Amino acid sequence: MRVTITGATGLIGPAVIAELRRRGPVQITALSRDVERASAKLGGDVEVARWSALEEAAPADALAGRDAIVHLAGEPVAQRWSPSAKQAITDSRVIGTRNLVQGLAEAQPRPSVLVSSSAIGIYGARHEEPLDEEAALGYGFLAETCIAWEQEAGHASELGMRVVNMRTGVVLDARGGALAKMLPPFRMGIGGPVAGGGQYVSWIHLEDLAAMIVTSIEQDSWSGPINATAPEPVTNRELSHALGRVLHRPAVLPVPGFALGLLYGEMAEIVTTGQRVLPAKALVHGYQFRHPRLEEALQAALA
Ligand SMILES: NC(=O)c1ccc[n+]([C@@H]2O[C@H](COP(=O)([O-])OP(=O)(O)OC[C@H]3O[C@@H](n4cnc5c(N)ncnc54)[C@H](OP(=O)(O)O)[C@@H]3O)[C@@H](O)[C@H]2O)c1
């Protein structure tokens, strides 16, 4: 199998590469803004080509002849949302995906599938409503960014490609993302529920996300939006308590929402609001979660 991955140098990319290798022989090309740094991170077995996602079409020769493209590149969302940060978050996904599809239009032979990242933020802030892939989409900065991002990826279907939009939940891994940010206070015993703790956190273990991405490459029946979350979304309070138990630390100190607002501004809404997302399509397709239960998933993520 031959696969090209954008944004391969982040949290999710190396797990996708590991999962592809676990399933069989694979030739991987990574598209990165910084070839040297990417080669150092990904190792000599991964071919790296330069792509400046905002400025140019993706290089067609790094896409042609591949079986699949996995699109992960994007400006980190977990930063203070200044006007320029918001612009970078949106542009890297909307213009970046447009430039990827433009490269695909020029690629011959063209890959048959594009698996493009998206996020559960597409549903907006939704309290307790269970959300499968049929649910109405939301409002606000993140939802509107995700909607535009999926629309751009969708243009690859006009090129005859199958398109999968992985609506990714909160990825659990100790090396990065939300869990890495939660760990220091929880390890010190000063962690606890945020903003009342009633808001839902739809999480997924990194290994399951990687397995779902690779399964969606292999299985033609996977297409369109797919919720990449475990079947057991929990409240922020339940997540705090489970993390406390796994770390053998108290997890009772509440963190008021306004304190996060002061620290992070508008971005705090990622943790002060939530979505209760269900992986309906993955379950219908028979996907077997490796880490379906939160406490075990946390233990595995911290092992
Ligand atoms: N981690 C999560 O919990 C989570 C949840 C939902 C959705 N997602 C989405 O899944 C995708 C991959 O997630 P991740 O956590 O692996 O991401 P990440 O580590 O933050 O970044 C992935 C890669 O994107 C590239 N990148 C960063 N800023 C960019 C910019 N301004 N323009 C173009 N490329 C840029 C970088 O690659 P180079 O430096 O090599 O170019 C980076 O290594 C992202 O789009 C993210 O929004 C992640």
Side-chain angles (χ1 to χ4, degrees):
M1 174 134 67
R2 295 180 78 197
V3 179
T4 292
I5 306 177
T6 77
T9 52
L11 176 67
I12 297 169
V16 173
I17 293 172
E19 180 64 22
L20 282 163
R21 287 184 173 144
R22 188 158 35 223
R23 297 203 191 188
V26 64
Q27 260 179 279
I28 291 160
T29 305
L31 297 186
S32 172
R33 295 165 302 166
D34 185 333
V35 172
E36 245 173 63
R37 196 173 44 80
S39 296
K41 167 141 193 185
L42 300 173
D45 293 350
V46 173
E47 176 198 16
V48 181
R50 211 192 81 81
W51 178 42
S52 184
L54 274 183
E55 284 151 26
E56 58 195 351
D61 57 351
L63 305 170
R66 274 49 172 197
D67 298 286
I69 309 299
V70 178
H71 180 38
L72 302 172
E75 172 77 12
V77 171
Q79 58 174 305
R80 193 173 245 278
W81 289 352
S82 65
S84 63
K86 278 173 133 176
Q87 197 69 48
I89 289 167
T90 305
D91 286 352
S92 60
R93 289 174 174 77
V94 177
I95 300 174
T97 306
R98 190 176 304 156
N99 282 338
L100 173 62
V101 173
Q102 200 187 324
L104 285 166
E106 291 156 19
Q108 284 300 341
R110 196 169 289 143
S112 57
V113 54
L114 168 64
V115 182
S116 184
S117 193
S118 176
I120 57 170
I122 201 165
Y123 298 114
R126 294 290 268 273
H127 306 287
E128 294 178 3
E129 180 188 348
L131 302 164
D132 65 16
E133 291 87 348
E134 302 284 306
L137 303 182
Y139 301 93
F141 169 65
L142 271 190
E144 283 150 28
T145 297
C146 291
I147 291 168
W149 189 10
E150 289 196 2
Q151 271 168 358
E152 292 295 340
H155 289 306
S157 64
E158 293 154 23
L159 303 172
M161 296 179 69
R162 177 165 60 87
V163 178
V164 176
N165 303 109
M166 273 297 162
R167 293 181 178 166
T168 305
V170 175
V171 178
L172 295 187
D173 188 80
R175 287 161 292 192
L179 185 58
K181 289 196 169 62
M182 290 173 79
L183 280 174
F186 275 81
R187 284 200 164 118
M188 287 191 277
I190 55 168
V194 170
Q199 68 281 28
Y200 270 84
V201 181
S202 298
W203 56 275
I204 183 164
H205 190 286
L206 180 58
E207 261 179 40
D208 271 314
L209 174 59
M212 284 176 73
I213 289 173
V214 177
T215 303
S216 71
I217 291 174
E218 292 175 347
Q219 305 276 333
D220 287 346
S221 55
W222 290 54
S223 91
I226 304 268
N227 288 342
T229 57
E232 184 191 78
V234 295
T235 63
N236 177 279
R237 189 179 309 107
E238 288 168 319
L239 172 63
S240 301
H241 291 166
L243 185 56
R245 281 194 298 277
V246 169
L247 294 172
H248 306 292
R249 293 282 189 282
V252 289
L253 277 183
V255 182
F258 77 83
L260 283 181
L262 287 177
L263 259 180
Y264 297 116
E266 196 190 348
M267 190 277 277
E269 75 180 42
I270 295 182
V271 276
T272 58
T273 67
Q275 302 88 10
R276 184 181 188 181
V277 177
L278 302 172
K281 271 168 112 176
L283 292 173
V284 164
H285 289 314
Y287 177 75
Q288 306 261 337
F289 281 85
R290 296 178 194 171
H291 303 284
R293 303 269 86 89
L294 178 63
E295 207 155 314
E296 183 282 329
L298 284 171
Q299 259 150 1
L302 295 172

